[in-house]
Amino acid sequence: MFSYWLADYGCIVADQTINNYLIENFPSGKLSRYLIYMIKKYFRMCAVLFSGLLAWVLSVLSASGQGININYDEEKVGSHSLPDLLRLPDSTVVTTAEQWTSQGRPATLQLFKTHVYGELPDKLPGMHFKVRNENKNALGGLATRKQVTIYFTQGADGPSMEVLLYIPNKVNGPVPAFVGLNFYGNQSIHPDKGIALSTRWINNSPEGIVNNKATEASRGLQASRWPVEELLKKGFALVTAYYGDLEPDHSEGWQSGIRTSLKTELNLEEDKWGAIGAWAWGLSRIMDYLEKEKRINPKQVALTGHSRIGKAALWAAANDTRFALVVSNESGEGGAALARRNYGETIAQLNRSFPHWFSPAYKNYNQQPEKLPVDQHQLLALIAPRPLYVSSAIEDKWADPQGEFLSAFYAEPVYKLFNKKGLGALEMPAVEKPVGETIRYHIRNGKHDIMAYDWQQHLAFAQKHFKLKINAKP
Ligand code: GTR
């Protein structure tokens, strides 16, 4: 940008200088006009070449500059001392589960609000739901598909989000559910033509998101991340919504998201929270709906999230104890990974690439994560005593798998207060050998993604902790 501005500015200055010189020295005639034209053309060409060169040099410099801050060498991580999660800001030491619930939890939550994610407001009194359509014979009869609009305020044209539910047909009684936000609109999670195409702003994708709008070609774009049939066959409902319904994921997204549209009703300025807060807020609104959905057991709602949506899921579950079980898949920096470990993505890098995600206060720790009054093991501890699954991938170094494991490990003392066995492992387990009880962890082969292996583990974990007895109809 700067180099193009420079090139333009250079052209204007050169034009004027050449004009003046030629007009003074060759006052009239065709020749002077031709000379002016040719010389200007030459200078303009040089300016364009120069600007291109400058842009390239700047991008190389900035990339290598970023590289300097990113460490992938375990030897260079250095030592760090984590805040003691049982010692409160007023120096009280928490020794019982009751004390954690009445003092430790609220004090820790407040630290995360002040320094990391910002405020998380409550629902609005006028919130209401509208079932858009219901198909009892979806996916070849396997499920009932419901599409519901959640209106956040009283009016029918106020801010809203679109929720998609698949509820298994051949299971008696209220069923357990997995809830999670999606990246590209509800139509992206399954090729099912009955899913309404999202009409919101969506990040472009070569697979069907064109000019920031979903097209028919985006149906099932992320189907590999949502094993809908497998969930249904195991007796779980699947509930999802597009995260951009709450706030489009770009630095100006807050202007059209709920941080602006609900600012007056929520009595909260947009810079008092971030996009992660807005996404987390939406997850709790889905929970509000699920409490009214008769076919779903609101006591068995598992919350899942991958990557940035994993950060939002953890923040939602830390605040909202109605989520009975939580899965953080490769949520990395600002999610499950310890901030004090200098490995992979750092707070500075996160805030540089995504200035809209966190509270502005988080930027104070860009260069000094050790000054942050909390670390992410305390976020995981806020899930206690509920079952928590943290998963990583071997090639996802950016998310710092070791930092995710250690965070789960250091959350354990709070689980112990509730007589729950956490990870029970002192060292990172081997690849695809999950460990732990109430806190469980695995690292799988492959890249940053949520894959069949991850879901298999997460589903088995939920089946075990929800003590599921699936009651299939004959
Ligand atoms: C990355 C970001 C990560 C993670 C990831 C994702 O670019 O640096 O923190 O959130 O995006 O959401 O896939």
Side-chain angles (χ1 to χ4, degrees), residues 168 233 277 279 303 310 337 344:
K233 284 179 191 154
W279 301 329
L303 177 55

Side-chain angles (χ1 to χ4, degrees), residues 49-276:
L49 282 176
F50 172 74
S51 77
L53 189 69
L54 189 65
W56 180 75
V57 169
L58 287 177
S59 72
V60 168
L61 281 177
S62 116
S64 67
Q66 284 173 23
I68 289 166
N69 295 328
I70 306 302
N71 173 46
Y72 285 122
D73 182 352
E74 200 56 48
E75 303 273 297
K76 293 193 183 134
V77 167
S79 61
H80 45 265
S81 66
L82 294 177
D84 179 350
L85 73 184
L86 296 178
R87 183 177 290 274
L88 305 185
D90 66 359
S91 294
T92 308
V93 177
V94 173
T95 55
T96 64
E98 295 68 37
Q99 206 186 354
W100 172 258
T101 308
S102 63
Q103 293 177 270
R105 226 186 105 69
T108 309
L109 260 182
Q110 191 52 53
L111 291 175
F112 277 103
K113 285 184 181 169
T114 310
H115 302 279
V116 184
Y117 303 101
E119 294 300 317
L120 194 62
D122 210 344
K123 66 178 176 215
L124 288 162
M127 182 182 71
H128 59 287
F129 318 106
K130 185 173 162 81
V131 179
R132 295 254 153 233
N133 59 59
E134 181 168 358
N135 181 333
K136 296 204 162 133
N137 199 25
L139 308 182
L142 192 59
T144 295
R145 183 190 58 234
K146 265 180 120 166
Q147 301 186 77
V148 180
T149 307
I150 300 182
Y151 290 99
F152 301 133
T153 54
Q154 203 136 31
D157 47 8
S160 61
M161 73 192 291
E162 303 300 326
V163 182
L164 166 69
L165 297 95
Y166 282 109
I167 307 170
N169 279 340
K170 297 200 170 98
V171 183
N172 289 329
V175 298
F178 263 85
V179 177
L181 298 175
N182 62 69
F183 283 86
Y184 289 99
N186 294 343
Q187 81 293 336
S188 69
I189 73 135
H190 197 284
D192 179 359
K193 289 231 172 353
I195 305 175
L197 275 191
S198 174
T199 56
R200 316 281 179 126
W201 183 100
I202 306 181
N203 264 309
N204 283 332
S205 157
E207 292 154 287
I209 312 290
V210 182
N211 297 328
N212 302 112
K213 287 279 171 220
T215 69
E216 284 293 324
S218 67
R219 292 193 178 280
L221 146 71
Q222 294 231 309
S224 70
R225 289 188 171 182
W226 300 94
V228 180
E229 282 82 355
E230 196 183 333
L231 270 128
L232 292 165
K233 284 179 191 154
K234 292 202 154 89
F236 289 93
L238 175 72
V239 185
T240 188
Y242 168 52
Y243 78 144
D245 283 7
L246 298 145
E247 176 163 331
D249 191 5
H250 59 87
S251 58
E252 305 303 317
W254 60 272
Q255 293 174 2
S256 55
I258 59 163
R259 282 197 285 147
T260 295
S261 61
L262 294 179
K263 173 159 116 171
T264 313
E265 289 86 344
L266 292 172
N267 191 19
L268 189 63
E269 291 297 316
E270 67 275 353
D271 62 352
K272 294 281 180 270
W273 52 331
I276 291 192

